[in-house]
């Protein structure tokens, strides 16, 4: 196994890595060279980022970009190993030519982390397909070594296949809501809805508009946005620009009298739109501008070669708008592997036994 700093990897092996990712499962979008280059250049990221990879006959056969740094898990702050780009990436997997090479690589990686790499307490693999190759292989390898393991469903991502179902809203209730919302919104001003691959030359201006909407939305109030806050914007704006130049970035917009009121941006991959970020101004919230925009994107998606709308970064507490379209839902899983030692043992014991016991004792009889 080889280990190379992320910036050096992007500078020297981007073409090889890009070919491996392109041949890997669809979940590898978030390991594209554009993503890794933006993360390596991110001026505020203070993590030790690198690529661990396996070669055969001088060719890459498997690999995973990783980072080691301080992070949080509930109330604890720990030194964690994560996939490079966490917590902003999604749908993680091992880039590999086949499962055999991928499994051999993961075995080598776990041995290296346990015996050669110090300075970490927790291996945190999040947003991997539940029951998929990465989760099941690492869980099996960890169990064989007697390591402490935790796993849970961390998000749910619905999909809507317009190629099969057509772009029409699937339920009479939703269609009625869309008709009422469109009528009331039109009474407030001239409505203009577009779904496009933005011109890279005017992308900065469009993202400025999106950031202004984000500030006015609930994301601005809760400081969870990615465009209106300096640290995430320093990563995402160069990333979006690189993806726009590659034709892999799309934005849906809803304007009222020329003013942006709602946006929905994401990535294009294998005929799917991977939803990543959306927000709308609160003034017209009761008319459902986000729902109207999503329906228009379903209707206009064919012009961009899109047959599937994919929630991608799904959640549990706040269901994605695509839940209402009744398509299949993909569960994402989080796998925690604790490094042997007093620190990991203490936190694992507190999380899995002491805290649940305290919660149980505090419940009213």
């Amino acid at each position: 196994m080889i280990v190379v700093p992320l910036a050096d990897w992007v500078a020297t092996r981007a073409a090889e890595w890009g070919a491996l990712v392109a041949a890997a499962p669809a979940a590898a979008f978030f390991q594209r060279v554009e993503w890794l280059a933006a993360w390596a250049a991110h001026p505020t990221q203070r993590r030790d980022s690198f690529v661990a990879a396996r070669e055969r006959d001088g060719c890459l056969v498997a690999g995973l970009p990783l980072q080691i740094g301080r992070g949080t898990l509930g109330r604890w702050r720990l030194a964690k190993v994560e996939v490079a780009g966490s917590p902003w990436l999604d749908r993680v997997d091992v880039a590999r030519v086949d499962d055999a090479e991928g499994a051999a690589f993961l075995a080598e990686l776990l041995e290296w982390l346990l015996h050669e790499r110090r300075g970490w307490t927790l291996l945190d693999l999040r947003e991997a397909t539940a029951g998929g190759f990465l989760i099941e292989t690492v869980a099996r390898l960890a169990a064989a070594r007697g390591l402490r393991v935790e796993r849970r469903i961390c998000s749910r991502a619905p999909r809507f296949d317009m190629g099969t179902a057509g772009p029409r809203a699937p339920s009479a209730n939703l269609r009625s809501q869309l008709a009422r919302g469109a009528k009331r919104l039109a009474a407030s001003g001239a409505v203009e809805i577009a779904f496009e691959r933005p011109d890279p030359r005017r992308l900065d201006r469009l993202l400025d508009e999106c950031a202004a909407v984000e500030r006015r939305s609930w994301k601005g109030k809760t400081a969870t946005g990615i465009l209106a806050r300096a640290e995430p914007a320093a990563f995402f704006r160069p990333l979006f620009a690189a993806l726009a130049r590659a034709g892999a970035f799309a934005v849906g917009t809803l304007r009222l009298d020329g003013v942006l009121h709602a946006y929905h941006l994401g990535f294009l991959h294998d005929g799917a739109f991977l939803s990543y970020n959306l927000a709308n101004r609160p003034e017209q919230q009761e008319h459902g501008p986000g729902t109207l925009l999503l329906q228009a994107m379903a209707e206009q998606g064919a012009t961009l070669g899109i047959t599937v709308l994919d929630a991608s970064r799904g959640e549990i507490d706040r269901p994605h708008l695509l839940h209402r379209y009744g398509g299949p839902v993909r569960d994402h899983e989080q796998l925690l592997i604790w490094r042997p030692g007093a620190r990991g043992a203490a936190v694992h014991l507190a999380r899995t036994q002491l805290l649940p016991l305290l919660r149980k004792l505090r419940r009213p009889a």
Side-chain angles (χ1 to χ4, degrees), residues 73-76 150 338 346-363:
L73 182 70
R75 64 184 64 193
W76 289 276
E150 295 178 54
W338 295 91
V347 178
H348 178 261
L349 176 65
R351 279 176 48 81
T352 60
Q353 297 185 45
L354 297 183
L355 284 181
L357 177 60
L358 286 173
R359 293 190 191 104
K360 183 177 180 180
L361 292 175
R362 287 174 181 169
R363 289 184 194 137

Side-chain angles (χ1 to χ4, degrees), residues 240-252:
F240 293 163
L243 291 171
R245 290 192 294 271
F249 183 69
V251 183

Side-chain angles (χ1 to χ4, degrees), residues 103-125:
F105 162 72
L106 288 172
E108 292 175 352
L109 174 63
L110 194 55
E111 285 297 305
W112 178 79
L113 287 171
L114 290 171
H115 301 297
E116 298 185 43
R117 185 65 192 241
R118 298 185 180 276
W120 65 276
T121 301
L122 177 67
L123 171 59
D124 186 350
L125 298 176

Side-chain angles (χ1 to χ4, degrees), residues 155-158 218 264 275 278 291 294 311 313-325 329:
S155 65
R156 292 190 164 96
W218 67 270
H264 194 152
S275 171
L278 66 160
T291 305
L294 182 63
R313 284 175 60 84
E315 299 182 42
I316 292 178
D317 297 333
R318 184 184 291 269
H320 195 279
L321 293 174
L322 279 169
H323 273 286
R324 299 192 65 185
Y325 284 77
V329 177

Side-chain angles (χ1 to χ4, degrees), residues 128-142:
T129 301
F133 174 80
L134 176 61
I135 291 290
E136 294 300 329
T137 303
V138 177
R140 174 176 52 79
L141 291 169

Side-chain angles (χ1 to χ4, degrees), residues 262-317:
Y263 73 86
H264 194 152
L265 61 81
F267 314 126
L268 303 180
H269 186 61
D270 286 348
F273 172 79
L274 305 182
S275 171
Y276 195 84
N277 182 256
L278 66 160
N280 60 267
R281 293 175 180 266
E283 298 93 310
Q284 305 294 334
Q285 179 69 38
E286 61 183 318
H287 304 325
T291 305
L292 286 168
L293 175 55
L294 182 63
Q295 177 57 34
M297 291 165 63
E299 295 168 359
Q300 298 177 24
T303 64
L304 300 180
I306 294 171
T307 59
V308 173
L309 297 178
D310 189 320
S312 186
R313 284 175 60 84
E315 299 182 42
I316 292 178
D317 297 333

Side-chain angles (χ1 to χ4, degrees), residues 5-353:
L6 183 59
D8 294 345
W9 185 267
V10 170
T12 61
R13 306 198 69 166
E16 296 171 83
W17 179 255
L20 180 62
V21 168
F29 177 86
F30 291 87
Q31 294 173 357
R32 285 176 62 129
V33 171
E34 294 92 343
W35 183 279
L36 297 183
W39 188 245
H42 184 22
T44 58
Q45 75 96 354
R46 295 172 291 278
R47 303 167 182 86
D48 176 10
S49 300
F50 57 93
V51 173
R54 175 179 171 85
E55 294 180 310
R56 182 174 293 280
D57 299 327
C59 297
L60 292 177
V61 293
L64 191 62
L66 296 167
Q67 63 193 33
I68 298 181
R70 304 295 292 180
T72 58
L73 182 70
R75 64 184 64 193
W76 289 276
R77 187 161 177 80
L78 303 163
K80 296 201 297 183
V81 181
E82 302 172 288
V83 177
S86 295
W88 291 327
L89 52 66
D90 186 40
R91 303 179 70 183
V92 304
D93 204 352
V94 177
R96 60 193 185 275
V97 295
D98 56 47
D99 287 355
E101 294 289 4
F105 162 72
L106 288 172
E108 292 175 352
L109 174 63
L110 194 55
E111 285 297 305
W112 178 79
L113 287 171
L114 290 171
H115 301 297
E116 298 185 43
R117 185 65 192 241
R118 298 185 180 276
W120 65 276
T121 301
L122 177 67
L123 171 59
D124 186 350
L125 298 176
R126 183 186 175 96
E127 300 294 350
T129 301
F133 174 80
L134 176 61
I135 291 290
E136 294 300 329
T137 303
V138 177
R140 174 176 52 79
L141 291 169
R145 289 161 176 77
L147 302 175
R148 299 177 185 86
V149 176
E150 295 178 54
R151 55 193 293 181
R152 70 181 184 96
I153 299 298
C154 60
S155 65
R156 292 190 164 96
R159 289 167 57 93
F160 178 51
D161 189 339
M162 298 101 67
T164 300
R168 187 169 182 257
S171 73
N173 181 57
L174 179 54
R175 291 194 296 272
S176 177
Q177 178 187 334
L178 288 165
R180 291 195 306 270
K183 183 177 180 180
R184 291 169 181 170
L185 199 62
S188 302
V191 179
E192 179 186 357
I193 300 180
F195 189 25
E196 61 178 330
R197 288 187 179 93
D199 185 337
R201 293 171 296 181
R202 63 179 184 84
L203 182 61
D204 277 341
R205 187 174 174 183
L206 176 58
L207 293 179
D208 287 342
E209 291 184 285
C210 293
V213 171
E214 191 178 78
R215 289 188 193 95
R216 297 286 298 275
S217 74
W218 67 270
K219 292 183 177 180
K221 295 176 182 178
T222 57
T224 56
I226 65 170
L227 293 172
R229 295 186 297 131
E231 181 173 344
F235 168 64
F236 283 107
R237 291 187 73 130
L239 170 67
F240 293 163
L243 291 171
R245 290 192 294 271
F249 183 69
V251 183
T253 55
L254 185 152
R255 298 178 184 274
L256 191 62
D257 288 335
V259 177
L260 186 66
H261 271 252
Y263 73 86
H264 194 152
L265 61 81
F267 314 126
L268 303 180
H269 186 61
D270 286 348
F273 172 79
L274 305 182
S275 171
Y276 195 84
N277 182 256
L278 66 160
N280 60 267
R281 293 175 180 266
E283 298 93 310
Q284 305 294 334
Q285 179 69 38
E286 61 183 318
H287 304 325
T291 305
L292 286 168
L293 175 55
L294 182 63
Q295 177 57 34
M297 291 165 63
E299 295 168 359
Q300 298 177 24
T303 64
L304 300 180
I306 294 171
T307 59
V308 173
L309 297 178
D310 189 320
S312 186
R313 284 175 60 84
E315 299 182 42
I316 292 178
D317 297 333
R318 184 184 291 269
H320 195 279
L321 293 174
L322 279 169
H323 273 286
R324 299 192 65 185
Y325 284 77
V329 177
R330 182 182 57 257
D331 284 346
H332 292 174
E333 199 166 352
Q334 180 183 32
L335 177 69
L336 305 178
I337 307 294
W338 295 91
R339 185 187 182 102
R343 170 72 165 162
V347 178
H348 178 261
L349 176 65
R351 279 176 48 81
T352 60
Q353 297 185 45

